Amino acid sequence: MKYRWIFVLAVLAALALSVLASGMEPERNRVHQHLEAAEKLPCTDHDASVFCTHLPLMEITTDGPVPAPFLQKGEAISGNIWAVAARNRNYEMVAATVRYFDSETENNHLGGQPDTEARAMFRIRGASSRNFDKKNYLLKFKEADMVRSLDVSLSGMAADDSWALHGPFLDKSLIRNYLCYNLAGEIMDYAPNVRFCELFLNGEYLGLYLLTEKVSYSGNGRIGFTETDPDLAVTSYILQVDRGASDSWYDLETFGSDSYLTRGKLRAGQGHIEVIYPGKTLTQSQRGYIISDFSRFEKALFSFDYNHPERGYRKYIDVPSFIDFFLINEFTLNYDAPGLSTYLYKDVSGKLKMCVWDFDAAFDYYLYSEITPETFRIHNALWFKYLFKDRAFVDQVVDRYSQLRKRFFSEEYLFQYIDETVAYLGPAIARNYEKWGYSFNSTFNGTSYDYLEPESRNVRSFDAAIQQIKDTITLRLEHMDSNLERLYTLCHESMNKRYNHVTEGGGA
């Protein structure tokens, strides 16, 4: 028996080595809904008047009117984006009853028995997306007293009280966030899990939505690390980089922002660091610890010793996490990151890691301007501007891209993933566009729905939206294959003399 176990372990070790040698990615425990959902037969026991879907189905009934967004139509594009975001935290919420249907073997109907029924607080969420007719929403599940939080598991995802409902409207393909979150989830240690569902709100069908985990700590899953203890100053933490919190208690001034080495180089209203976890229990000593701990990383990165093996930035961050964050956002042209929609997290005994969020504008669907696939941008933002001064970091970026190109960054993998996702959604696509199909028009009822400029970027059909993603992927990979190594210019001695001016003997 002893020798049998030795043989088994030897085989497993050999397999692991062969995977590493081949450059293949190890399999992660990531659920891809379109691949793992059971095929369901059409219903024969009701007529066409009964709403019937193979997807999970959510029904939300609010106790009163849904509070309107503060934003008026057009304000996010022409107005003060910073002010808009801060006000977002002051949204009123309405109590609601949520019924969630998710049969593994049969289609879902509103008249059936829900798999989950719970009370929640409910509101509109998002920044520029509040302009759109199809809104995004936030759910905060509550106990019956509507005070205590209630952790709820939906479609097998980690139980938590906080969930986002993303309603793709600008993204006519409907799949950008689903594709990119799952791609990131295969590459990085954690990316929010997602599930497609169809949504009814107060009896009105609102179409296809993407149920999304909020980036948070949960003892049941999501970001897993050592839970905070309010009696201790040292703590695990999650930070959000965005437009800042309305409550200054959670807004942090770190070494990078105080010295204008990060925030001052961004557009107004970006790059502000907010504490997400610990939340309401955040103490003065913990807040001070987080500022000090994060600033140690920034000081090391901005110093002359930035690449020193003991005193440099590598002591403080999980380098592969930063590299994967760079590559997934750079490949998808997701240039809201890292100044917006970006998370960092750190276990009390670990190193800083990065987490993705929000790919609604990926693959050249950015609202404010056209982004051609022949570009690089993230290398010049926030901490990456300084990370790319280190040749070893650039080496790892280039090597990692080469590894990912063999599978997850290949046209074959991505196009198959897209086609299989579209096939899985099936009739839900048509139902969604029975509701929102007018958004393909340049104008409808006197309102312009050409959000993108120039006008040619606005697709006129679902098929064209899917083709636009594929065409962008092809052009993007061609550009990265040919030009990624140009990033070596950023670490060349001629670019960084002031960082490398001390000789080994100590003279200048």
Side-chain angles (χ1 to χ4, degrees):
M1 180 65 71
K2 171 182 176 182
Y3 295 106
R4 180 182 299 174
W5 278 110
I6 292 174
F7 174 75
V8 170
L9 290 172
V11 170
L12 291 174
L15 287 172
L17 288 172
S18 67
V19 167
L20 291 173
S22 68
M24 291 177 59
E25 284 287 313
E27 293 294 332
R28 297 184 186 272
N29 187 27
R30 182 77 181 187
V31 172
H32 300 262
Q33 181 185 14
H34 73 286
L35 296 177
E36 302 185 34
E39 185 175 356
K40 299 175 181 179
L41 298 175
C43 291
T44 57
D45 58 349
H46 62 73
D47 60 31
S49 65
V50 176
F51 186 86
C52 177
T53 178
H54 65 294
L55 298 176
L57 175 61
M58 182 175 286
E59 180 185 33
I60 300 174
T61 305
T62 61
D63 292 5
V66 178
F70 292 109
L71 216 57
Q72 299 300 313
K73 194 168 186 65
E75 185 181 345
I77 297 176
S78 59
N80 187 324
I81 303 300
W82 162 270
V84 165
R87 290 161 65 189
N88 181 38
R89 306 305 167 87
N90 296 325
Y91 263 180
E92 294 179 11
M93 303 185 78
V94 63
T97 298
V98 180
R99 302 172 79 226
Y100 190 71
F101 306 84
D102 186 21
S103 171
E104 292 184 3
T105 57
E106 299 177 347
N107 293 320
N108 295 300
H109 315 86
L110 293 177
Q113 180 65 35
D115 294 84
T116 299
E117 184 168 359
R119 296 284 282 163
M121 299 302 293
F122 178 78
R123 69 163 173 86
I124 295 169
R125 62 172 298 274
S128 59
S129 63
R130 281 178 274 167
N131 276 305
F132 304 145
D133 297 353
K134 186 180 183 182
K135 308 298 183 188
N136 297 319
Y137 299 106
L138 177 71
L139 283 171
K140 299 281 287 185
F141 284 103
K142 298 289 184 180
E143 298 280 5
D145 60 12
M146 298 304 291
V147 176
R148 292 172 295 167
S149 296
L150 174 67
D151 288 345
V152 173
S153 175
L154 299 172
S155 292
M157 293 184 282
D160 200 277
D161 70 312
S162 186
W163 296 85
L165 279 164
H166 169 66
F169 187 77
L170 179 70
D171 173 20
K172 300 299 194 295
S173 77
L174 307 175
I175 67 169
R176 275 177 167 80
N177 274 298
Y178 179 82
L179 168 66
C180 295
Y181 278 131
N182 283 331
L183 187 63
E186 289 288 359
I187 292 170
M188 304 181 73
D189 286 349
Y190 172 75
N193 287 287
V194 291
R195 302 287 190 275
F196 283 114
C197 67
E198 292 185 84
L199 176 65
F200 278 81
L201 175 59
N202 292 328
E204 179 184 3
Y205 176 69
L206 293 188
L208 189 69
Y209 272 73
L210 192 66
L211 181 64
T212 307
E213 292 180 343
K214 291 283 288 178
V215 178
S216 61
Y217 163 78
S218 171
N220 305 305
R222 298 198 180 179
I223 291 176
F225 51 30
T226 307
E227 187 174 3
T228 188
D229 182 347
D231 292 332
L232 299 176
V234 178
T235 181
S236 303
Y237 57 85
I238 302 172
L239 305 177
Q240 181 182 13
V241 184
D242 208 276
R243 299 181 176 102
S246 59
D247 185 345
S248 60
W249 177 246
Y250 296 98
D251 237 349
L252 302 186
E253 292 290 342
T254 66
F255 177 79
S257 56
D258 280 343
S259 57
Y260 293 96
L261 290 167
T262 54
R263 187 182 303 168
K265 298 183 181 298
L266 297 167
R267 296 199 305 271
Q270 291 191 9
H272 292 257
I273 299 176
E274 174 188 352
V275 178
I276 300 299
Y277 180 90
K280 294 180 180 179
T281 64
L282 179 68
T283 65
Q284 177 72 52
S285 57
Q286 288 178 334
R287 186 176 185 274
Y289 165 77
I290 295 171
I291 292 173
S292 176
D293 188 67
F294 196 83
S295 294
R296 277 194 288 270
F297 151 59
E298 292 184 318
K299 289 176 182 177
L301 180 64
F302 303 148
S303 74
F304 290 162
D305 290 329
Y306 67 99
N307 60 354
H308 192 279
E310 296 178 6
R311 297 190 296 273
Y313 69 86
R314 290 175 181 269
K315 179 179 179 181
Y316 301 99
I317 69 170
D318 183 275
V319 176
S321 173
F322 278 67
I323 289 171
D324 287 342
F325 178 91
F326 168 80
L327 285 172
I328 186 69
N329 284 290
E330 193 66 68
F331 163 59
T332 60
L333 298 165
N334 191 35
Y335 289 146
D336 272 350
L340 296 171
S341 301
T342 293
Y343 291 84
L344 301 101
Y345 61 99
K346 181 180 181 293
D347 184 82
V348 67
S349 59
K351 294 183 178 182
L352 274 167
K353 296 184 178 183
M354 301 201 76
C355 180
V356 297
W357 183 255
D358 189 3
F359 290 89
D360 200 31
F363 297 118
D364 189 26
Y365 232 62
Y366 194 58
L367 183 60
Y368 304 104
S369 62
E370 182 176 13
I371 298 174
T372 63
E374 297 82 19
T375 186
F376 294 116
R377 289 194 187 181
I378 294 177
H379 67 277
N380 199 37
L382 288 172
W383 311 286
F384 289 97
K385 180 178 179 66
Y386 302 91
L387 291 169
F388 274 95
K389 294 181 181 298
D390 181 12
R391 183 182 177 88
F393 186 84
V394 183
D395 283 340
Q396 287 181 268
V397 168
V398 172
D399 289 347
R400 179 61 166 160
Y401 174 75
S402 177
Q403 183 184 39
L404 294 173
R405 191 71 172 87
K406 296 174 182 177
R407 184 183 179 191
F408 295 119
F409 284 7
S410 72
E411 288 174 280
E412 180 182 6
Y413 175 88
L414 292 166
F415 289 1
Q416 180 177 339
Y417 197 99
I418 291 169
D419 291 342
E420 289 175 347
T421 301
V422 170
Y424 168 70
L425 293 176
I429 297 170
R431 286 193 293 267
N432 181 83
Y433 283 121
E434 286 176 13
K435 174 72 176 178
W436 306 110
Y438 64 83
S439 65
F440 284 116
N441 299 328
S442 178
T443 59
F444 182 76
N445 286 343
T447 299
S448 173
Y449 288 94
D450 278 352
Y451 290 102
L452 307 182
E453 295 180 358
E455 181 183 347
S456 59
R457 293 176 62 217
N458 296 277
V459 297
R460 303 303 180 196
S461 70
F462 175 75
D463 289 342
I466 294 297
Q467 191 60 49
Q468 186 272 338
I469 292 181
K470 291 182 176 180
D471 290 345
T472 303
I473 286 173
T474 296
L475 292 172
R476 186 60 174 157
L477 290 173
E478 289 176 356
H479 175 72
M480 293 186 74
D481 287 349
S482 301
N483 295 280
L484 192 69
E485 292 194 3
R486 292 176 63 186
L487 295 175
Y488 277 110
T489 62
L490 302 173
C491 63
H492 193 273
E493 183 179 358
S494 63
M495 292 280 289
N496 301 292
K497 284 185 176 180
R498 70 188 184 92
Y499 285 86
N500 301 288
H501 68 293
V502 179
T503 66
E504 187 174 341

